[in-house]
């Protein structure tokens, strides 16, 4: 069972960081409209927590409700009451910051997932703004200094009270892995249509285990010039097949590799931290640099964009893919042949760094 941080439990009982010997990032004052939106977020989070954790534990263990669960529900109720104050500026206790951050992380991801399908259909700017209004409001709250300075509260999970096997049995089933398909042209790497379903599958299973998942977007540097120099026929015959075989061999038993185009590839690495993913991708770059090709003097290099989603990541699966692409573009524009990723937890363009 997870040991709850003493600071979180003390804050939950006393709401006095000074008395508990705990310091918290100062919380801002919220406008009435912000407080109303946050109050609605608290209600939604509470309903989800009751459904997915409290009620399941009660059903599985003959009415048992752990003290941590009772404590959190009480804290949610208290936070909701604080946000319902009728004042020109609404202030909540600084000790509630970690809980509020946890709520915003979950609700931002849920809200973004809810609009992904309609966003795929939208072509009008006003329509897109309308769809994104809730996500935009949550992102504005998350951009405040207190959010970055505050650790998210670790709330009780089913795996605190039952084994992973039993938790998987009572939770909504993770999307299954689809039968393997391979890219239509070379039949070496996996088809691009498998990428998002695979990411959903592994992200759900990694989340249950508190494990991150790394996604890499790989691009061959100066591929158009390389093609022009050696001709597309030579590249397709002598370069791309062994190049992709090297990627497949390096990723084998660690994750999955997908061909998205002539010079673009995606890799998923379940249960990989940022440090482990960087080491793995550096190894891939070195492996490709050592590869020799018939009738080719200079081996192609790759630029890589890396996005690592831990259990606190608020991005949807499509957004993770887009952030990996954004990081790859940063590497290509800054210094080709490098790996770029995000510093911090907000995944903003200004957070991109070369590693």
């Amino acid at each position: 069972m997870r040991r709850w941080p003493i600071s979180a439990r003390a804050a939950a009982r006393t709401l006095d960081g000074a008395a508990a010997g705990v310091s918290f990032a100062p919380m801002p004052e919220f406008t009435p409209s912000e407080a109303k939106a946050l109050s609605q977020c608290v209600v939604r989070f509470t309903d989800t927590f009751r459904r997915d954790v409290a009620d399941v534990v009660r059903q599985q263990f003959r009415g048992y409700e752990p003290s941590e669960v009772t404590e959190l529900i009480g804290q949610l109720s208290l936070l909701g009451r604080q946000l319902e104050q009728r004042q020109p500026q609404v202030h909540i206790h600084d000790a509630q910051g970690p809980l509020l951050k946890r709520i915003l992380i979950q609700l931002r991801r849920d809200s973004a997932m809810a609009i992904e399908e309609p966003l795929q259909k939208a072509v009008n700017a006003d329509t897109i703004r309308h769809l994104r209004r809730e996500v935009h409001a949550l992102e504005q709250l998350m951009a405040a200094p207190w959010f970055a300075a505050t650790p998210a509260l670790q709330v009780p999970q089913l795996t605190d009270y039952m084994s992973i096997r039993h938790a998987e049995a009572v939770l909504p089933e993770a999307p299954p892995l689809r039968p393997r398909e391979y890219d239509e042209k070379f039949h070496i790497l996996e088809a691009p249509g498998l990428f998002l379903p695979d990411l959903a599958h592994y992200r759900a299973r990694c989340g249950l285990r508190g494990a991150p998942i790394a996604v890499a977007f790989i691009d061959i540097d100066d591929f158009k010039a390389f093609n022009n120099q050696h001709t597309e026929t030579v590249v397709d015959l002598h370069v791309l097949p062994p190049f992709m075989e090297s990627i497949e061999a390096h990723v084998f038993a660690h994750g999955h590799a997908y061909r998205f185009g002539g010079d673009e590839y995606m890799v998923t690495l379940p249960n990989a931290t940022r440090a482990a993913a960087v080491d793995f991708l550096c190894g891939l770059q070195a492996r490709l640099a050592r590869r020799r090709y018939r009738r080719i003097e200079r081996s192609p290099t790759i630029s890589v964009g890396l996005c690592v989603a831990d259990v606190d990541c608020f991005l949807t699966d499509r957004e993770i893919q887009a952030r990996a692409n954004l990081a790859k573009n940063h590497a290509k524009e800054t210094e080709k042949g490098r790996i770029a990723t995000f510093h911090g937890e907000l995944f903003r363009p200004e957070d991109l760094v070369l590693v």
Side-chain angles (χ1 to χ4, degrees):
M1 181 182 294
R2 174 188 296 119
R3 291 179 178 272
W4 267 43
I6 294 175
S7 60
R9 299 196 65 155
R13 287 193 299 269
T14 68
L15 269 186
D16 188 345
V22 179
S23 60
F24 298 94
M27 295 297 294
E29 293 183 333
F30 298 106
T31 66
S33 61
E34 289 174 334
K36 181 179 179 181
L38 287 172
S39 178
Q40 293 170 348
C41 289
V42 172
V43 171
R44 290 164 58 188
F45 183 90
T46 303
D47 291 344
T48 300
F49 178 77
R50 287 184 181 277
R51 181 195 67 209
D52 294 344
V53 179
D55 292 348
V56 175
V57 171
R58 194 177 299 110
Q59 292 164 4
Q60 295 294 316
F61 299 109
R62 303 177 64 86
Y64 170 63
E65 182 170 288
S67 59
E68 304 98 299
V69 171
T70 305
E71 199 170 69
L72 179 61
I73 291 173
Q75 280 301 101
L76 288 165
S77 176
L78 177 59
L79 178 57
R81 292 197 299 273
Q82 290 183 22
L83 289 167
E84 290 170 357
Q85 302 172 50
R86 296 184 179 278
Q87 298 177 3
Q89 295 292 322
V90 178
H91 184 76
I92 66 172
H93 198 285
D94 293 345
Q96 293 282 24
L99 176 55
L100 186 58
K101 180 168 181 174
R102 167 62 54 203
I103 293 169
L104 288 175
I105 287 171
Q106 178 171 316
L107 268 296
R108 192 273 171 200
R109 181 176 167 186
D110 290 348
S111 298
M113 288 180 64
I115 64 172
E116 280 196 336
E117 184 176 345
L119 276 177
Q120 297 295 311
K121 307 171 186 176
V123 295
N124 178 271
D126 287 339
T127 304
I128 294 172
R129 278 193 294 270
H130 171 78
L131 290 171
R132 280 190 52 82
R133 68 191 187 282
E134 181 178 351
V135 172
H136 178 73
L138 292 171
E139 289 172 345
Q140 291 291 104
L141 291 167
M142 294 165 67
W146 73 267
F147 188 89
T150 302
L153 182 68
Q154 298 301 307
V155 301
Q157 306 289 328
L158 276 186
T159 47
D160 293 336
Y161 310 105
M162 61 178 67
S163 69
I164 289 175
R165 180 174 67 85
H166 288 101
E168 285 184 320
V170 298
L171 284 172
E173 188 176 355
L177 277 180
R178 295 183 181 180
R180 297 298 89 184
E181 301 173 8
Y182 295 89
D183 78 273
E184 295 181 354
K185 186 172 183 179
F186 295 96
H187 307 283
I188 297 172
L189 299 182
E190 297 181 33
L194 291 175
F195 171 75
L196 284 174
D198 282 3
L199 180 55
H201 170 86
Y202 284 112
R203 198 173 180 194
R205 302 197 73 186
C206 284
L208 194 60
R209 293 160 173 82
I213 182 168
V215 171
F217 201 121
I218 298 170
D219 188 281
I220 300 176
D221 295 322
D222 302 314
F223 185 69
K224 183 176 181 181
F226 190 83
N227 242 351
N228 291 339
Q229 179 184 354
H230 300 288
T231 75
E232 183 176 339
T233 300
V234 170
V235 171
D236 282 358
L237 184 62
H238 297 302
V239 179
L240 290 182
F243 178 89
M244 287 187 285
E245 285 169 358
S246 292
I247 295 178
E248 193 280 337
H250 194 74
V251 176
F252 177 72
H254 294 280
H256 297 267
Y258 316 82
R259 177 178 178 265
F260 269 65
D263 60 337
E264 293 184 331
Y265 310 89
M266 298 290 297
V267 169
T268 55
L269 299 171
N271 197 14
T273 63
R274 172 176 159 169
V278 168
D279 286 345
F280 183 86
L281 294 168
C282 286
L284 175 60
Q285 287 181 314
R287 185 176 191 146
L288 293 172
R290 293 192 302 266
R291 187 84 195 221
R292 295 296 177 259
Y293 307 92
R294 291 178 57 192
R295 301 171 60 178
I296 303 293
E297 293 182 2
R298 181 183 61 84
S299 300
T301 61
I302 59 171
S303 295
V304 184
L306 174 64
C307 182
V308 180
D310 61 17
V311 292
D312 288 339
C313 179
F314 58 83
L315 300 175
T316 68
D317 298 341
R318 287 185 184 276
E319 289 173 332
I320 291 172
Q321 180 182 6
R323 293 305 200 283
N325 186 26
L326 183 67
K328 177 265 298 180
N329 290 337
H330 179 75
K332 291 183 72 69
E333 294 166 3
T334 307
E335 187 177 345
K336 293 177 182 177
R338 296 286 297 275
I339 300 168
T341 190
F342 294 89
H343 174 74
E345 58 183 343
L346 294 180
F347 303 97
R348 301 169 302 188
E350 57 265 36
D351 298 326
L352 283 164
V353 293
L354 295 179
V355 298

